[in-house]
Structure formats: structure tokens, C-alpha cells
């Protein structure tokens, strides 16, 4: 998934190895080998995005923000992507992966000859092994209860799946890596992808001599053991470099920090304003784009996005959805509008520490949250039939949603109950700092309504809103008690559940850790039967409500619009939204 954040909570080719992403806010996929519209090249478009870019590492916990994932999608070669029908489409121009054994489950990944980073370095064993080490958590030995050991790479996705694999075998030519699983794994097809960050850059940036030294380090270092943690200074230096070196709101002076393995290369950045990408002339291992140049402008205000489209300053917009926005777009001549339900939802999460360490205080706060008013204010003008979402895990209308709300206890928080909140507080007046994206009008509305209601019960609310380029990196930083944001899901797989709610997961920002829920998640990732998966996810969903995790608000609605001269656009409800088929875009 990614923020809006996305849930990495998915990899961008499916974003972040199919993870959920945090967000500030139907047709089929084309065979990557055909080239499609990419046969004819030329032209440029400008696209408006809500959030400003913050990191060239969209796979890290702090970099896992929707805009970073979208830029990654434009600049990263991949084994697969997810189309608008939420189907996994393999990109065999980049490489192949195949099951070579069912018992034990064994999968071989091969990168095709000629696939390279934009500095000419081939994508090979170092990139395969580094990506596996990051996504598997193989070397982690942290024991959070004992406060010993280390979690090395702050990977935003779930590590439990690839954590089932032993040290991979690499072919002599360095282009094939074979993974053997100790248990069946439900999401094996989307479990692994090469990440944004080149191994040769991470190796030297982390203090090693070269990529070969990194390969040797990964192949010889023992697996992490929380019962007997040990200092690993070389590995720690590499991990710290990966975790932080690629974060930037300006174009780095060192081109190695923004190398591309995909169709486009970042050419220019204006901090907090825009980014320009140009065609990677060497790219020939996937869908080849028609456009020579794409500029992304960061415009948080929906009205400003609409005005920019009307004035011809941008060609495509993806504003926060509202009835006013839709009406304004419908009044403009020469504009195409694409809309639909998204695989994302807004929510408030409460930290399991500080003022909210006490479950009674968490539940008291939940009783004050006016979800009906939030839905009416934010979504109601666009969809009068909209209702609060009552599951942290299941999207409204999907199989499992009705079963979840029958047992998860969400009905207890259907409406605010200020008197019950006061009873739980017993005269206390806790101070609660709420963090959110202050440049996002939907989040501002939600914060305002919550602050007004919670104050009635005795809570002292502190406005912890941050600018759009700061809130994502603040997640999990301990500077707030509650946070309002969104998760956007890839729409495939189940690994997003432990990514967000697993004990110690890098994307588990509020410190939720429950024995019953963790046992269900451990079983979930090795369960392939859909009915059994649903039952396990309902168990997790129920424990989230029972322990006072926070509350979901609503299922998001997406509105995209573009000048009619832009062709090839289709709506996509998932992680990368309208970008999913950018290679098919052209300008008439």
C-alpha cells in the first residue's frame, strides 16, 4: 500500500513490490512486448499531482508516498505491472520468472541480457540480491520487547513472504536468482521485484569497494537471529545509506542518486513545484512510451488544478474529488473526465504509546470521531449515497466486507457518543496532537470536525498539521499521537495486511502489535485458499477495532480529467492511478 499514502500497502511495477502506499489523497493492459502507442514517438504533457516529490527510494518506509511511487513507475524497469483490471501482467522484455518446483516452492528470476541502469551498468546479481535482502528482512535481528538487535533496511512492504526463503542461488552469469520457500506463499507471483536503488550505487555509497563486495557481504553474512543479535557495521552502513541517501526534494548533484532503469529519466526538479522527465533513449525492455517528455506539477488545491487545466498550464489533473470539482470540470469545453471508486480509504490511526497507551483513552477518542459528518463533508457532495467504511482491511463491496462488519465491532462506533467517551476519561483531559497533510483540503476538513467533537469530551486537541512535503516522512516519528491519512492498495495479494499491521513492520506506524492478530497474519501469508484467507483477515480486522486502533472514514472516489488532445487515458483504481498505461499516452 502507499500513502496518500499507498499501501506498499504494491511495487510499482506493481508499486513497492505490491505494497500499500500512503496517499495525500476499465480496459486491459497491453502486452509489454508490443510497444503499443510507443511505436510513434513525440510530444509532451504536463500532469498535476497533489503531493510534492520527496524521495527517489519509494520502497523505504519514509519514501513510500504515492507521488514517489508514481515517479518510480515511470523510471523503473520491472518483471510485471498491474493493469486497470487489477490483473498482473508479466513484462518478459525485462525478464522472466518461473516456478521450477512446487514442493518446495522454488521460483527462478532471470533478467534479460542488455537490461541496464541509465549509467550503462547492467542489472544483475547485485541488484537481484540487494533487492531480495531488503524485501526479505533476512538479516534483521531486532527483538522489540528486549530492545536489542537491529532492523537494517527500513523497507515499507511486508518482509514475511520473502522471509520464508533461504539465501538465494545466483547463476554464474549473474542474471538469474533462484528463491526456495520453506512454506507455500500466497503472494509468490508478486513477492519480488528489483527495487529503485542500484546495487553498485548503494555498495559504494555504503562504504564498500564495489558491487562485488556487496554481493560477497550478502552471501556470507549469517542470517539475523533475534535471540543472539550481533553488530554488523558493514551491513549497517549499507542499510543506512539505502534508508536515507535517496531522499531529496531537489535534483541531486550526484546523478547516481537518480538513475533510471525504465522508460523515463528525471531531468530537472524545481523544489515543491515540479519535476521534468525525458525519454530514456536506451530503454528497450518493456512498453515503449510515445511521449518524449512528461512534466509533473505539484498542485495540492483542487480548484487550482482545475484552473490550471482550463488555462492550458497542465494537460492532465488528478485532484481531490468533490462535487464542486466535478461541476467545474463539466463546465469546461474540450475536457475528458474519468471517474470511479478507488482502492483507497482515509482513516485516523492512534499510537499505542504516549497519551494513547491506555486502551480506554484510545476507545474514548474513537467514540468522539464524527464519521458521518466527515463522509457528508468530504464525499457526500459527490456521492449522496456514500457511507462510512467499516473495515480497516476490506474495501466496500468486495467479498469479505459484509462478513467483516458482522463481527469486527465497527458498529459500536457508528455515531459519536460523547457521554461514553467522558465516562472512559473519568474527568481526565488528555492532550492529543493530530498530524495530517495541511495542504490537503479533505484532511483539513476531517481534522477540523474531529477536533471540534473530541473537545466536547474533554480532549485537548493540538493541531499537528504539516506541509505536503513533510507529513510523509513524519509518519512513525513519534511527534504526534494520532494521524489522518490514506492507504491505497494494489488490489492484488494479501501481503498488504502484515505490511500495515504486523508487529515491527516498517509501515506499522502506530505500534499496533497483537498476539492473536499476528498469529492470523503468519497463517495468512502461507494460505492459498480464498475462503480461509478471508476468515484470517476478518480476525485481524476484529482485533484492530477491539484494541482501539483507530477508525476508517470512507472509500475514496477518484476524478481524473485531461485535455481532449491527450489520448490513451483510462481510469485505474489502484496504486498508480491514471499513470498505469503511460506508455499508451499520446498527444493528438
Amino acid at each position: 500500500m502507499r500513502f496518500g499514502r499507498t499501501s506498499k500497502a504494491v511495487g510499482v511495477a506493481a508499486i513497492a513490490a505490491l505494497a500499500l502506499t500512503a496517499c495525500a489523497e476499465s480496459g486491459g493492459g497491453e502486452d509489454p512486448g508490443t510497444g503499443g502507442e510507443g511505436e510513434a514517438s513525440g510530444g509532451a504533457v504536463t500532469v498535476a499531482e497533489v503531493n510534492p516529490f520527496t524521495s527517489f527510494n519509494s520502497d523505504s518506509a519514509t519514501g513510500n508516498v504515492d507521488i514517489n511511487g508514481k515517479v518510480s513507475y515511470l523510471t523503473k524497469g520491472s518483471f510485471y505491472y498491474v493493469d486497470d483490471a487489477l490483473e498482473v501482467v508479466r513484462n518478459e522484455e525485462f525478464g522472466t520468472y518461473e516456478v521450477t518446483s512446487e514442493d518446495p516452492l522454488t521460483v527462478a528470476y532471470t533478467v534479460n541480457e542488455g537490461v541496464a541502469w541509465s549509467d550503462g551498468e547492467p542489472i544483475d546479481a547485485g541488484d537481484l540480491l540487494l533487492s531480495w535482502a531488503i524485501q526479505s528482512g533476512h538479516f534483521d535481528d531486532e527483538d522489540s520487547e528486549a530492545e536489542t538487535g537491529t532492523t537494517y533496511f527500513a523497507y515499507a512492504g511486508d518482509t514475511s513472504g520473502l522471509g520464508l526463503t533461504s539465501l538465494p542461488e545466483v547463476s554464474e552469469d549473474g542474471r538469474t536468482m533462484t528463491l526456495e520457500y520453506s512454506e507455500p506463499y500466497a503472494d509468490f507471483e508478486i513477492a519480488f521485484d528489483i527495487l529503485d536503488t542500484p546495487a553498485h550505487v548503494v555498495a559504494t555509497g555504503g562504504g564498500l569497494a564495489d558491487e562485488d563486495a556487496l554481493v560477497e557481504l550478502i552471501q556470507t553474512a549469517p542470517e539475523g537471529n533475534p535471540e543472539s543479535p550481533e553488530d554488523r557495521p558493514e551491513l549497517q552502513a549499507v542499510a543506512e545509506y539505502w534508508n536515507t541517501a535517496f531522499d531529496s526534494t531537489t535534483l541531486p548533484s550526484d546523478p547516481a542518486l537518480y538513475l533510471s532503469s525504465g522508460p523515463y529519466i528525471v531531468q530537472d526538479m524545481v523544489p515543491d513545484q515540479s519535476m521534468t522527465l525525458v525519454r530514456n533513449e536506451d530503454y528497450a525492455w518493456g512498453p515503449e512510451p510515445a511521449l518524449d517528455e512528461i512534466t509533473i506539477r505539484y498542485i495540492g488545491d483542487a480548484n487550482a488544478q482545475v484552473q490550471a487545466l482550463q488555462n492550458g498550464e497542465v494537460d492532465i489533473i488528478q485532484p481531490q474529488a468533490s462535487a464542486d470539482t466535478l461541476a467545474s470540470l463539466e463546465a469546461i469545453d474540450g475536457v475528458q473526465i474519468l471517474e470511479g471508486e478507488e482502492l483507497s480509504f482515509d482513516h485516523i490511526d492512534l499510537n499505542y504509546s504516549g497519551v494513547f497507551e491506555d486502551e480506554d483513552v484510545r476507545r474514548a477518542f474513537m467514540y468522539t470521531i464524527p464519521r458521518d459528518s466527515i463522509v457528508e463533508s468530504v464525499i457526500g457532495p459527490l456521492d449522496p449515497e456514500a457511507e462510512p467504511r467499516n473495515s480497516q482491511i476490506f474495501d466496500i463491496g468486495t467479498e469479505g466486507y459484509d462478513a467483516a462488519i458482522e463481527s469486527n465491532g465497527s458498529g459500536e462506533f457508528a455515531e459519536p457518543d460523547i457521554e461514553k467517551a467522558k465516562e472512559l476519561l473519568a474527568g481526565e483531559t488528555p492532550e492529543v496532537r493530530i498530524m495530517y497533510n495541511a495542504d490537503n483540503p479533505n484532511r483539513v476538513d476531517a481534522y477540523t470536525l474531529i477536533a471540534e467533537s473530541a473537545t466536547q469530551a474533554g480532549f485537548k486537541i493540538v493541531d499537528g498539521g504539516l506541509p505536503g512535503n513533510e507529513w510523509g516522512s513524519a509518519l512513525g516519528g513519534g511527534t504526534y499521537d494520532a494521524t489522518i491519512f490514506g492507504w491505497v492498495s494494489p488490489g492484488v495479494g494479501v501481503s498488504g495486511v502484515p505490511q500495515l499491521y504486523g508487529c515491527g513492520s516498517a509501515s506499522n506506524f502506530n505500534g499496533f502489535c497483537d498476539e492473536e492478530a499476528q498469529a492470523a497474519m503468519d497463517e495468512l501469508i502461507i494460505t492459498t485458499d480464498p475462503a480461509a484467507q478471508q476468515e484470517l483477515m476478518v480476525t485481524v480486522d476484529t482485533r484492530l477495532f477491539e484494541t482501539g486502533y483507530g477508525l476508517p472514514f470512507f472509500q475514496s472516489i477518484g476524478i481524473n480529467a485531461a485535455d481532449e488532445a491527450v489520448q490513451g487515458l483510462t481510469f485505474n483504481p489502484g496504486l498508480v492511478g491514471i499513470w498505469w498505461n503511460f506508455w499508451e499516452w499520446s498527444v493528438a
Side-chain angles (χ1 to χ4, degrees), residues 309 315-317 326 329-330 332-339 559-571 578 585-588:
L309 178 63
D315 304 293
I316 303 171
I317 65 172
L326 182 58
L329 289 170
E330 290 174 339
I332 304 174
D333 292 333
V335 167
Q336 53 181 311
I337 301 172
L338 303 89
E339 57 182 313
I559 295 178
N560 309 147
D563 188 291
E564 287 184 342
V566 182
Q567 301 178 351
L569 303 177
T570 57
F571 184 84
I578 202 169
W585 296 0
S586 62
V587 180

Side-chain angles (χ1 to χ4, degrees), residues 168-220:
E169 293 184 4
V170 178
S171 62
E172 289 188 7
D173 64 6
R175 291 192 292 109
T176 297
M177 181 180 75
T178 302
L179 300 179
E180 181 178 300
Y181 289 82
S182 60
E183 300 277 356
Y185 181 49
D187 286 356
F188 84 87
E189 187 174 9
I190 56 174
F192 175 79
D193 205 357
I194 289 176
L195 303 182
D196 300 335
T197 44
H200 63 287
V201 175
V202 173
T204 55
L208 300 178
D210 51 29
E211 184 178 325
D212 288 342
L214 177 61
V215 170
E216 182 179 1
L217 176 64
I218 294 172
Q219 290 180 326
T220 58

Side-chain angles (χ1 to χ4, degrees), residues 271-296:
D272 300 324
Q273 293 187 38
S274 66
M275 168 186 285
T276 300
L277 302 99
V278 296
R279 178 194 292 271
N280 180 356
E281 297 296 343
D282 295 326
Y283 177 77
W285 42 86
E288 296 183 31
L291 298 172
D292 290 330
E293 182 176 301
I294 296 175
T295 297
I296 301 173

